[in-house]
Amino acid sequence: MHMADALISPAVGATMWTATAGLIAYSSKKIKQAADDRKIPLMGVLGAFIFAAQMINFSIPGTGSSGHLGGGMILAILLGPYAAFLVMASVLIVQALFFGDGGLLALGCNIFNMGFLSCFIAYSLVYRKIVGDKPTQGKIVAGSLAAAIIGLQLGALGVVLETVFSGISELPFRTFLLLMQPIHLAIGIVEGMVTAAVVMFVYQARPEILNAVSSFKPIGRLDLKKVIVGFLLAAIFIGGGLSWFASSHPDGLEWAMFKTSGKAELDSPGQLHTALAAVQDKTAFMPDYGFKNTEAASISEPEVKPVWPAIDLGTSLSGLIGGGLIFLIIFLIGFGFRRREVTT
Amino acid sequence: MNNIGKNYFDIGYMDTLAQGDSWLHQLDPRAKLITTLLFIIAVVSFGKYTIWAFIPFFLYPVFLIAAGGLPGGYLFKKVLLVSPFAILLGIFNPLIDREIILHIGTIGISGGWISFLSVLIRFVLTVIGALLLVALTGFNSVCEALRKLGVPKPFVIQLMFFYRYLFVLTDEAQRMERARALRSFHSGFMKYRTFVSVIGYLLLRTLDRAERIYYAMCCRGFDGQIHRLTSLKSRSRDFSFISVWLILFIVFRIYNIPEALGAWVMGCLG
Amino acid sequence: MGYGVFGMSHHIVEASDLYYTYPDGTMGLNGISFRITHGESVALVGENGAGKSTLLLHLNGYLSAAQGTIRIGDYPVAKKNLDSVRRCVGMVFQNSDDQLFMPTVFDDVAFGPLNLGLEKQDIEQKVVQALETVNALHLKHRPPYRLSQGEKKSVAIATVLAMSPDILVMDEPTSSLDPTSRKRLIGLLKTFKHTKIIATHDLDLAMDVCERTIVLHQGKVTADGPTMELFQDENLLHQSSLEKPLRMQQCPVCAAAKKR
């Protein structure tokens, strides 16, 4: 499941971006060190394969619904975690850019949820542990199944945590968790079965391919501790920094703060708004515009949870009128710059 | 046409748009990439009940669509196609956050509905921002920009390979799916067993193809390094592009222009 | 182009008693010998699985024979001189998509020269020259996936020409081309002075471009001689699952018209 830009806060988005960027840099370094020339075209072409394969749907027996290939686990089994992670990141980038799946800010979250958690954690800690160095049919099936299920559970947990930390969606943690995990358990089982079946298909047709990967140590070995420590540091640094930054600069409309406490406006007066108010006063652009009243109201009764005073018919109507006018202006500007449509 | 076919032509069409020759197309890809990121960051930085303040930000997509000669309707349709997920998660807001925070006449509107609407507007803006980047720049130029902005080479190289063979593989998958569909007389999706062997064969063919490509590269002196001649040159207009938008985004972010304008108009009307 | 830089002997391709068996036990080559001299154009024909592609893969060292040797000019094809062999033998693949892997046509044609470590200006000149030779300069900035099959084939040939090879090796060059593109390709091939080795089922192409033909059957050379002579030999063609080129067959329409 793709996280969407619309649901995450800049702090969460930036944290995950940093983590993902670090992982990409680290994996790229590993790939460079391994210097396996064959992998260069192989990675790209397998990415294209996953992309194409994800468009083919099959019917899930007895449910009337359809499923498709997940990808992360198959890539990890064929390429090892580092290369698989990079390929998965590419697939997600293209999906974000061309189909708008997820969006650019959420890309970090998505690469982390669907790339890192499955290629690094689920593959390294589950699949490799089960399959070991000498793959057999039974081990491959068990490993793929378990790894796919665990990978998806972790991914779903990632989505829940990122959404909850962002606070854009109102879904409480527990509800969302109870909603997501079972759904992804079902998806995970189906995906695990497909992964196992496809891997078996390759194993039977060309055993040497899988053997080559499992005997290919340097790229399969994972320095998990380093990765996790790095990630945590990045998360604390960025997350902490950004939330501090965000909290010292209140949001454009303070509804949210007023909802939680009437004091919000008092605690952090917000220089931007002071400046804005000054500008407003000078230009006398909006005689009724509510900031002064708002502040007066909240100052006078700081303990009482106030009804949002500025959101009365007046401002919402002025928002509507102003918004409509701006829209009109924007489209006129657009019309002015209109270029003949590309005809190819 | 099957699902794959549609996606195939969709990517192809986005790629065609990127071949345009407007001045926006000719800007340095780095300028467009940075501006897109600034745009998205500005949009998502608003509080969760924001509605009106988003409206000025529509200037960005509208301007790019107009000046780049892009088909706005097509892009908007693409945005709608991916909206279900945002709706799915946002729709819980009205159910959970029931506190009435806005009265229009006698109708009270809960915070949940406002934040839901806010999520949708955010969604439209951020998605269209990303789509516009590709439609005006092209994927390969985006890769080039990433490379020049310091993204590690192995990653960028495989992104390029990926994009190159995406067309080939999607086409191949489409042909296999078509051949399967023409011979199976039940409607609907593939059966599980068929699916596994279709995917399996596609995977084996992909592995073979990777081997042939590698061989083709070796035939032309490949030694593990991919060199390219192309170079990016930024000109002053690239910097102006970023700066102008940056200033606008900051202004839009700080000043709630629609409410101010509306209040002024209402004041004038008495 | 840069052929003729090396001595004449450089353009000789000599195979002696090649044997190759694939890892899965499939017989590839079963004792093949021939000698192709400078400037010759040789068609390699035979049924599917006769060993044509296997033989081509030996010509620049992708596969190495279990027994026997191949010499390209003065070098035996072996690991230590693969670089010089590959520079000398330009290989055009059957599927152009495998050969055009870079984001734009320009990048693709420049890929080889860049690997040779040439100067930037020389590279640009070589790219332009190679593309001009195949009449594809106007495609310079296009991505390969936006080309027609015929254009892809032309560009694929340009990528090889930019390396200035002495010997051109082609696998089924006309297999996916429409008649016009095919005709154009044949015209183009005729203008090349390189030594050419072309594996093909298109016997009309062989007649047009190659004065000499080698017939392979089950990994062996069953005939080697002037193209026109071999194609008269119906038994030989039949044995190799081949048919006389259309031009040499009695045209039923014309025949019917004559009878009347």
Side-chain angles (χ1 to χ4, degrees):
Chain A
M1 196 177 230
H2 288 81
M3 276 299 282
D5 273 3
L7 297 172
I8 61 170
S9 64
V12 171
T15 307
M16 301 312 284
W17 255 71
T18 314
T20 303
L23 287 167
I24 287 176
Y26 183 66
S27 303
S28 298
K29 209 177 96 191
K30 286 282 166 186
I31 295 289
K32 217 179 210 164
Q33 281 169 358
D36 181 5
D37 296 353
R38 263 196 167 72
K39 267 214 167 109
I40 293 172
L42 180 61
M43 284 165 67
V45 182
L46 276 178
F49 159 77
I50 292 295
F51 190 87
Q54 284 189 348
M55 295 173 186
I56 303 179
N57 290 295
F58 66 92
S59 58
I60 300 170
T63 60
S65 56
S66 72
H68 65 73
L69 193 68
M73 192 51 59
I74 286 195
L75 287 173
I77 293 170
L78 291 170
L79 290 168
Y82 299 106
F85 174 72
L86 292 184
V87 174
M88 208 53 210
S90 315
V91 173
L92 291 165
I93 287 175
V94 168
Q95 284 174 343
L97 285 176
F98 283 83
F99 300 134
D101 280 344
L104 286 188
L105 188 72
L107 198 53
C109 298
N110 286 322
I111 294 176
F112 188 85
N113 297 344
M114 289 182 256
F116 174 75
L117 293 176
S118 70
C119 299
F120 280 80
I121 307 292
Y123 171 78
S124 304
L125 298 184
V126 182
Y127 180 87
R128 292 290 291 160
K129 290 274 182 294
I130 293 176
V131 175
D133 284 339
K134 290 195 186 68
T136 64
Q137 196 153 333
K139 281 186 195 167
I140 290 176
V141 171
S144 315
L145 200 61
I149 291 171
I150 290 171
L152 265 155
Q153 285 296 302
L154 290 172
L157 184 64
V159 171
V160 171
L161 289 176
E162 286 147 11
T163 308
V164 169
F165 279 130
S166 296
I168 305 284
S169 162
E170 286 286 347
L171 273 175
F173 178 67
R174 262 181 58 111
T175 322
F176 197 17
L177 196 69
L178 289 175
L179 198 72
M180 287 287 278
Q181 302 305 128
I183 295 177
H184 282 82
L185 179 64
I187 299 176
I189 293 171
V190 172
E191 192 173 316
M193 278 163 53
V194 175
T195 305
V198 173
V199 172
M200 275 323 299
F201 190 94
V202 175
Y203 183 65
Q204 276 155 4
R206 303 266 198 79
E208 75 277 4
I209 290 169
L210 291 186
N211 291 335
V213 175
S214 62
S215 65
F216 193 64
K217 281 294 175 213
I219 209 144
R221 190 87 73 192
L222 171 65
D223 197 352
L224 208 57
K225 215 187 287 169
K226 239 194 227 166
V227 172
I228 289 176
V229 168
F231 169 69
L232 282 178
L233 282 179
I236 292 165
F237 186 72
I238 306 287
L242 266 182
S243 31
W244 172 80
F245 180 79
S247 64
S248 64
H249 297 267
D251 288 315
L253 282 179
E254 300 83 297
W255 301 359
M257 277 177 220
F258 262 93
K259 275 185 65 215
T260 48
S261 135
K263 282 194 286 188
E265 192 79 356
L266 285 176
D267 288 344
S268 57
Q271 298 181 345
L272 294 182
H273 294 111
T274 322
L276 176 60
V279 174
Q280 285 168 359
D281 281 348
K282 272 193 195 122
T283 51
F285 212 53
M286 42 199 112
D288 278 338
Y289 190 55
F291 272 107
K292 263 180 281 178
N293 293 344
T294 313
E295 275 166 38
S298 52
I299 290 167
S300 61
E301 34 181 356
E303 296 305 318
V304 185
K305 191 179 181 188
V307 184
W308 176 242
I311 311 301
D312 53 15
L313 186 58
T315 33
S316 63
L317 201 61
S318 66
L320 197 64
I321 293 171
L325 281 172
I326 300 276
F327 246 129
L328 203 68
I329 294 167
I330 288 174
F331 279 98
L332 284 175
I333 293 174
F335 194 72
F337 280 96
R338 185 98 195 121
R339 202 173 168 281
R340 62 179 176 78
E341 285 209 0
V342 184
T343 43
T344 11
Chain B
M1 197 188 298
N2 56 24
N3 185 23
I4 316 170
K6 280 194 210 95
N7 282 324
Y8 177 70
F9 286 111
D10 207 22
I11 301 171
Y13 186 53
M14 289 290 277
D15 199 78
T16 308
L17 293 179
Q19 316 277 321
D21 60 349
S22 74
W23 64 273
L24 283 171
H25 284 89
Q26 283 153 18
L27 284 177
D28 188 317
R30 284 172 291 187
K32 286 178 273 186
L33 181 65
I34 292 169
T35 310
T36 306
L37 292 176
L38 291 174
F39 173 71
I40 291 173
I41 290 169
V43 167
V44 297
S45 70
F46 277 103
K48 74 185 208 185
Y49 295 102
T50 307
I51 291 179
W52 307 123
F54 279 135
I55 290 172
F57 282 90
F58 280 92
L59 178 64
Y60 179 72
V62 169
F63 177 80
L64 292 193
I65 287 171
L70 300 174
Y74 165 80
L75 292 169
F76 190 68
K77 234 182 350 194
K78 272 179 86 78
V79 174
L80 289 186
L81 268 177
V82 282
S83 56
F85 178 61
I87 293 176
L88 189 72
L89 280 193
I91 197 72
F92 289 101
N93 286 8
L95 300 177
I96 296 162
D97 180 3
R98 286 160 175 275
E99 193 175 341
I100 306 292
I101 59 168
L102 175 61
H103 292 277
I104 293 185
T106 51
I107 307 161
I109 297 178
S110 72
W113 280 109
I114 299 212
S115 63
F116 176 48
L117 190 60
S118 179
V119 164
L120 293 187
I121 297 175
R122 232 178 267 262
F123 178 80
V124 169
L125 284 173
T126 49
V127 170
I128 207 145
L131 294 178
L132 282 169
L133 174 64
V134 185
L136 285 174
T137 314
F139 191 74
N140 286 321
S141 301
V142 173
C143 289
E144 196 70 19
L146 288 174
R147 176 75 198 110
K148 292 283 149 83
L149 291 171
V151 173
K153 200 170 172 186
F155 183 61
V156 176
I157 294 289
Q158 66 90 33
L159 259 182
M160 280 171 12
F161 269 101
F162 168 40
Y163 190 67
R164 165 69 184 90
Y165 285 98
L166 189 147
F167 292 90
V168 178
L169 276 253
T170 319
D171 189 41
E172 201 162 315
Q174 189 190 349
R175 278 184 277 124
M176 287 176 87
E177 157 66 14
R178 197 188 294 138
R180 194 278 315 169
L182 290 176
R183 282 182 296 155
S184 46
F185 297 96
H186 65 95
S187 55
F189 297 115
M190 221 178 264
K191 288 196 178 114
Y192 175 73
R193 289 180 67 89
T194 325
F195 174 78
V196 168
S197 63
V198 166
I199 297 285
Y201 273 118
L202 189 61
L203 179 53
L204 287 180
R205 284 161 71 162
T206 306
L207 293 168
D208 285 342
R209 184 184 290 280
E211 189 63 28
R212 292 197 303 269
I213 295 166
Y214 174 67
Y215 177 45
M217 292 167 76
C218 290
C219 282
R220 287 191 275 147
F222 176 60
D223 57 357
Q225 289 297 314
I226 301 231
H227 314 274
R228 285 185 78 188
L229 263 189
T230 39
S231 55
L232 294 178
K233 277 192 208 89
S234 16
R235 288 154 297 186
S236 55
R237 70 177 190 186
D238 299 311
F239 291 106
S240 325
F241 182 78
I242 302 180
S243 321
V244 168
W245 283 115
L246 180 62
I247 292 167
L248 284 174
F249 295 156
I250 292 175
V251 170
F252 294 165
R253 177 67 187 80
I254 295 175
Y255 300 103
N256 190 335
I257 299 173
E259 288 211 6
L261 182 68
W264 180 69
V265 169
M266 280 169 64
C268 288
L269 296 174
Chain C
M1 303 282 90
Y3 42 85
V5 183
F6 306 93
M8 288 274 277
S9 63
H10 212 85
H11 309 178
I12 289 171
V13 180
E14 189 168 17
S16 45
D17 211 20
L18 291 179
Y19 285 87
Y20 183 81
T21 310
Y22 282 96
D24 63 359
T26 314
M27 171 63 68
L29 305 178
N30 199 8
I32 285 186
S33 304
F34 57 82
R35 182 185 156 91
I36 294 169
T37 55
H38 171 65
E40 266 191 294
S41 283
V42 179
L44 218 50
V45 302
E47 77 278 1
N48 290 329
K52 300 187 298 293
S53 298
T54 315
L55 179 58
L56 295 192
L57 292 176
H58 279 77
L59 291 180
N60 56 5
Y62 181 75
L63 297 177
S64 43
Q67 193 188 318
T69 52
I70 285 203
R71 294 181 73 86
I72 305 288
D74 303 324
Y75 301 102
V77 177
K79 204 149 211 166
K80 64 177 194 301
N81 41 31
L82 268 191
D83 276 357
S84 23
V85 164
R86 283 180 179 168
R87 201 189 284 198
C88 180
V89 179
M91 180 96 171
V92 180
F93 287 65
Q94 178 173 5
N95 186 340
S96 309
D97 274 322
D98 297 341
Q99 191 156 16
L100 305 176
F101 42 79
M102 294 293 279
T104 65
V105 165
F106 181 90
D107 284 327
D108 236 315
V109 181
F111 180 84
L114 272 165
N115 286 333
L116 295 179
L118 303 180
E119 291 292 315
K120 195 181 163 192
Q121 281 180 333
D122 293 348
I123 292 173
E124 274 170 12
Q125 197 198 334
K126 274 196 180 273
V127 172
V128 170
Q129 234 177 47
L131 283 171
E132 263 173 355
T133 310
V134 300
N135 289 318
L137 192 57
H138 60 290
L139 305 173
K140 200 165 111 174
H141 297 299
R142 297 261 286 274
Y145 48 82
R146 298 206 150 261
L147 305 178
S148 69
Q149 286 297 337
E151 289 169 334
K152 277 184 192 168
K153 189 57 80 182
S154 302
V155 175
I157 293 173
T159 65
V160 169
L161 291 181
M163 302 279 288
S164 312
D166 303 305
I167 300 158
L168 277 180
V169 175
M170 303 196 171
D171 196 357
E172 296 284 4
T174 54
S175 64
S176 52
L177 301 186
D178 60 51
T180 314
S181 312
R182 175 180 167 277
K183 204 168 185 181
R184 203 175 296 137
L185 177 73
I186 291 175
L188 181 65
L189 292 180
K190 279 184 176 170
T191 65
F192 291 161
K193 305 267 184 299
H194 306 71
T195 304
K196 292 184 279 280
I197 303 176
I198 304 175
T200 186
H201 291 306
D202 181 350
L203 299 193
D204 289 275
L205 161 83
M207 268 176 70
D208 278 336
V209 181
C210 308
E211 64 274 4
R212 174 178 163 194
T213 294
I214 296 177
V215 183
L216 294 185
H217 179 57
Q218 294 178 350
K220 282 184 183 147
V221 175
T222 48
D224 183 351
T227 305
M228 292 308 280
E229 278 174 31
L230 294 188
F231 287 178
Q232 308 278 7
D233 186 342
E234 299 219 11
N235 280 339
L236 174 73
L237 293 178
H238 183 72
Q239 181 203 1
S240 299
S241 309
L242 294 170
E243 270 183 354
K244 258 191 185 177
L246 289 175
R247 259 178 295 162
M248 291 171 73
Q249 290 177 17
Q250 286 234 316
C251 168
V253 180
C254 318
K258 252 184 216 168
K259 259 183 205 165
R260 224 178 283 151

